Amino acid sequence: MTNDPSQGYVCVIVGATGAVGSVLLKVLAERDFPIAELRPLASQRSVGSTVRFGGKNVEVALTEPEQFDGADLVFFAATGSLSLELAPEAAKRGAVAIDKSSTWRMNDGVPLVVPEINEDALDEHRGIVSCPNCTTIPLAMALEALRRRAGLRSAVVTTMQAVSGAGTPGLEELEEQQLAHHSGVAAPRPSTFAAAIHNNVIPLCETLQDDGYSSEETKLLDETRKILRQPELEMTMTCVRVPVPIGHSASVLVETETALSPEEAIHELSSFPGIVVCPDSDLPTPAGAAGGAVVLVGRVRSDQHSDRLWLWQASDNLRKGAATNAVQIASALAGRGLLGRHRDAKMAFQS
């Protein structure tokens, strides 16, 4: 038997002390998600430390399958290898695993969900639900807003991604390099990124494929197609790391099936849940998006040589790009009566 929803849910957070896990705790509290028991988990080095939740210090325990017993939800905000190993374990023990890594996103048996777009995909969950990449979520929302009115033919995307997209190590590397620069000393050799990120931008090409695109760029393409249920969508992209702590941005050139004027596009974007269109006097920026749960869109304008539209977007990659989307999924699962539906079922996922 699953826990009585009126008393709240038993929630486990794998990676509770990391960058996304820390924000996840804040978002769960801010959104008043009903929690009867919280179990924060992490690696051995964090065991015994505490996280703050519900006005109390909650002790962090070691990540191991036994911690999933009796849980309703297990949020995975850790490495993909850990999710690969343990998300099926969570499902087998009756919980729903909500995973932020890329591990399960393209698995045919796992819904890849942005609740504003495809909440109904949750009806097919078999114990694991995947959160898209933190660049995919805001892009897919903007594209879907236009597609519902005019169809969607193609998109050209350039992302500018904050260092927190690489977690706490990314933030620490930027801070170390900034401190070294201002202190007039040599910075430590980069370890998280391919080159120094302070006063620099880096094409995200650490894992180049045979076609010249990086895995980050391929994820953006494949995930957007899956979320929009448009497998033949023509999209090309370049992903770039920028020296910004929090907040991903993107420049997008969109071609719709039926041409839209900027005014029509702005109306559709403004009407879409989770999107705020900013006037030219208050342009969307990563700094402006940081701490917020919405996708900021601005600079909506016609292309000078075609019927396509340009737009610029920014969002908090740790919130809407990760933690907020995960909590929205949890709320949608609860609202649709899907938590605990598969309890005692055996999962068939293969690593």
Side-chain angles (χ1 to χ4, degrees):
M1 293 291 291
T2 191
N3 295 297
D4 181 356
S6 67
Q7 302 301 312
Y9 298 98
V10 176
C11 294
V12 178
I13 300 179
V14 177
T17 59
V20 173
S22 298
V23 176
L24 181 58
L25 287 164
K26 295 177 183 177
V27 175
L28 285 166
E30 291 167 0
R31 290 181 168 252
D32 294 322
F33 187 80
I35 294 181
E37 179 188 350
L38 177 73
R39 300 176 190 169
L41 308 181
S43 62
Q44 183 65 55
R45 68 170 179 261
S46 296
V47 171
S49 64
T50 61
V51 296
R52 190 75 177 168
F53 187 80
K56 300 178 181 178
N57 291 324
V58 185
E59 186 170 338
V60 176
L62 182 66
T63 301
E64 51 189 353
E66 290 72 21
Q67 292 288 349
F68 307 149
D69 289 338
D72 295 293
L73 283 163
V74 179
F75 294 96
F76 281 86
T79 64
S81 59
L82 203 59
S83 170
L84 180 64
E85 176 188 357
L86 294 180
E89 281 293 328
K92 287 176 183 177
R93 293 166 190 257
V96 178
I98 300 177
D99 181 36
K100 189 61 194 78
S101 80
S102 63
T103 301
W104 300 100
R105 290 174 187 158
M106 300 311 297
N107 187 298
D108 289 339
V110 176
L112 181 65
V113 177
V114 179
E116 293 90 343
I117 300 175
N118 63 336
E119 179 183 311
D120 62 305
L122 293 172
D123 294 339
E124 304 305 318
H125 91 78
R126 293 190 289 126
I128 301 176
V129 179
S130 195
C131 274
N133 193 314
C134 46
T135 55
T136 302
I137 291 170
L139 172 66
M141 288 173 62
L143 293 179
E144 177 68 2
L146 301 179
R147 188 177 75 141
R148 289 183 182 180
R149 166 70 181 275
L152 183 61
R153 182 169 293 160
S154 68
V156 179
V157 186
T158 301
T159 69
M160 281 137 275
Q161 299 176 213
V163 296
S164 54
T168 301
L171 284 164
E172 291 177 345
E173 189 153 300
L174 174 60
E175 292 170 357
E176 289 172 356
Q177 292 171 9
Q178 290 172 329
L179 179 60
H181 175 80
H182 292 299
S183 301
V185 300
R189 185 179 180 84
S191 58
T192 302
F193 304 119
I197 188 61
H198 174 60
N199 285 347
N200 201 13
V201 298
I202 307 170
L204 282 167
C205 57
E206 291 90 345
T207 51
L208 282 179
Q209 302 166 142
D210 291 341
D211 61 2
Y213 286 86
S214 69
S215 60
E216 187 76 7
E217 291 159 348
T218 301
K219 282 188 288 187
L220 186 61
L221 172 64
D222 293 343
E223 292 173 23
T224 301
R225 285 174 165 177
K226 181 175 179 177
I227 295 163
L228 299 184
R229 298 174 172 131
Q230 191 168 339
E232 303 302 320
L233 173 64
E234 295 180 8
M235 191 169 82
T236 189
M237 52 278 131
T238 299
C239 294
V240 181
R241 187 75 68 189
V242 295
V244 171
I246 295 173
H248 288 355
S249 310
S251 173
V252 188
L253 179 62
V254 185
E255 181 182 15
T256 51
E257 295 284 354
T258 303
L260 291 175
S261 69
E263 293 74 21
E264 290 171 323
I266 288 171
H267 174 76
E268 298 305 320
L269 291 160
S270 300
S271 303
F272 195 84
I275 292 179
V276 173
V277 177
C278 302
D280 290 343
S281 59
D282 186 23
L283 292 171
T285 65
V294 298
V295 177
L296 304 180
V297 176
R299 299 217 64 209
V300 181
R301 61 202 189 279
S302 296
D303 182 58
Q304 293 178 322
H305 308 290
S306 69
D307 290 334
R308 295 179 292 180
L309 289 168
W310 284 99
L311 61 87
W312 171 267
Q313 63 170 63
S315 62
D316 187 320
N317 55 295
L318 297 180
R319 285 183 173 258
K320 183 51 187 169
T324 299
N325 196 74
V327 176
Q328 287 178 292
I329 288 172
S331 296
L333 286 166
R336 297 174 83 87
L338 297 173
L339 289 177
R341 185 184 72 178
H342 68 290
R343 190 171 293 276
D344 299 326
K346 295 296 183 182
M347 303 303 297
F349 292 113
Q350 301 294 323
S351 60

